[in-house]
Amino acid sequence: MATPLTGQQIIDRFELYTDDTTDLSSDEELILANDKLRIIYMEQPWEFLRRTKSGNIESDGKISLPADFDEFMENFSDDGYEAVEKVVYVGGSKAPYRIVPMGQRMANSYNAVCWIDPSDGKINFSQNPGAGASYEFDYKTSPDDLTVSTSPKLPPEYHPMVVFAMLIDEEIIKKSEKARSNMQDNAVLYQRYLKNLKLRDARFKLA
């Protein structure tokens, strides 16, 4: 199994591949790493960022979103195969409440629906399940920023892709002759990592 890279190790590799000629401070290099890592996180709803939230409906009949919430993820299928819909399961029988955009809450053919109300940032229900009822849903987490002592929330074998993403940044190519001369190779390596990561993610969805 691959060894995770810390933020500092990512910076060290970046400096090695640019001969440390970019004039960026360590703090600026870490900011660049986080910018590129955030783009990777946003690429798609990755399975490795899937989390499950469970608890009980609050006294106002709503559910507060987790602090690290990014978006809902598919967790329901009529045929029992690959999940294709996003729902909140409610109660001991795990009744599925379909998640819809707020603007569609009144024009939906389903009675059991829920949505995020931007005014309070909570999950609201078309039919109040009642305070205290249990719930569960899946969501994509929004990871904390990388620090010099923490690692990306990617599978460890894909941590080097952050370095290649940094190396093909437009400003880095302007600042570093080594990055400029290796731009094509670095771009190919980054795209290869990204493609393989997507294939890996797809296998998890079909497992």
Side-chain angles (χ1 to χ4, degrees):
M1 183 176 178
T3 302
L5 296 179
T6 64
Q8 186 59 58
Q9 290 170 319
I10 287 172
I11 288 173
D12 291 343
R13 288 196 183 190
F14 171 75
E15 291 178 350
L16 177 66
Y17 293 158
T18 58
D19 287 336
D20 198 15
T21 58
T22 63
D23 296 328
L24 296 182
S25 67
S26 294
D27 286 344
E28 290 170 330
E29 289 169 343
L30 187 60
I31 289 171
L32 178 62
N34 273 303
D35 287 346
K36 300 307 178 183
L37 186 54
R38 190 63 58 187
I39 290 172
I40 296 170
Y41 290 153
M42 293 189 299
E43 180 74 21
Q44 66 180 49
W46 301 104
E47 285 297 311
F48 58 81
L49 294 180
R50 181 186 291 270
R51 302 291 184 269
T52 298
K53 178 71 168 65
S54 60
N56 298 98
I57 305 290
E58 296 162 21
S59 58
D60 59 2
K62 303 178 182 182
I63 299 173
S64 294
L65 294 171
D68 62 342
F69 179 87
D70 185 12
E71 62 179 301
F72 291 108
M73 293 187 70
E74 288 82 0
N75 59 343
F76 176 80
S77 172
D78 283 324
D79 58 16
Y81 290 98
E82 183 179 357
V84 294
E85 284 196 84
K86 305 169 186 178
V87 305
V88 175
Y89 292 102
V90 176
S93 62
K94 292 190 178 296
Y97 280 70
R98 186 170 180 239
I99 300 165
V100 299
M102 185 176 178
Q104 295 180 16
R105 68 193 186 283
M106 303 301 292
N108 206 282
S109 59
Y110 294 84
N111 289 322
V113 299
C114 58
W115 61 90
I116 296 176
D117 185 340
S119 67
D120 58 16
K122 292 185 176 185
I123 301 173
N124 289 238
F125 293 87
S126 57
Q127 299 175 345
N128 192 331
S134 61
Y135 70 82
E136 180 181 303
F137 62 87
D138 285 3
Y139 70 98
K140 177 186 172 186
T141 183
S142 178
D144 291 335
D145 279 349
L146 185 69
T147 69
V148 292
S149 58
T150 61
S151 298
K153 298 302 182 185
L154 301 170
E157 60 269 32
Y158 293 91
H159 288 183
M161 72 186 295
V162 181
V163 180
F164 291 114
M166 296 167 70
L167 291 170
I168 59 176
D169 180 83
E170 183 177 346
E171 289 304 313
I172 298 306
I173 291 169
K174 291 178 182 178
K175 292 175 181 292
S176 169
E177 173 60 35
K178 190 171 184 179
R180 188 158 53 251
S181 61
N182 293 317
M183 176 180 62
Q184 188 170 3
D185 289 342
N186 291 335
V188 168
L189 285 168
Y190 173 73
Q191 289 300 327
R192 184 177 298 164
Y193 270 110
L194 185 61
K195 178 182 177 180
N196 288 337
L197 184 58
K198 289 181 177 181
L199 290 173
R200 178 190 186 277
D201 208 63
R203 289 196 295 270
F204 272 89
K205 289 182 179 179
L206 296 174

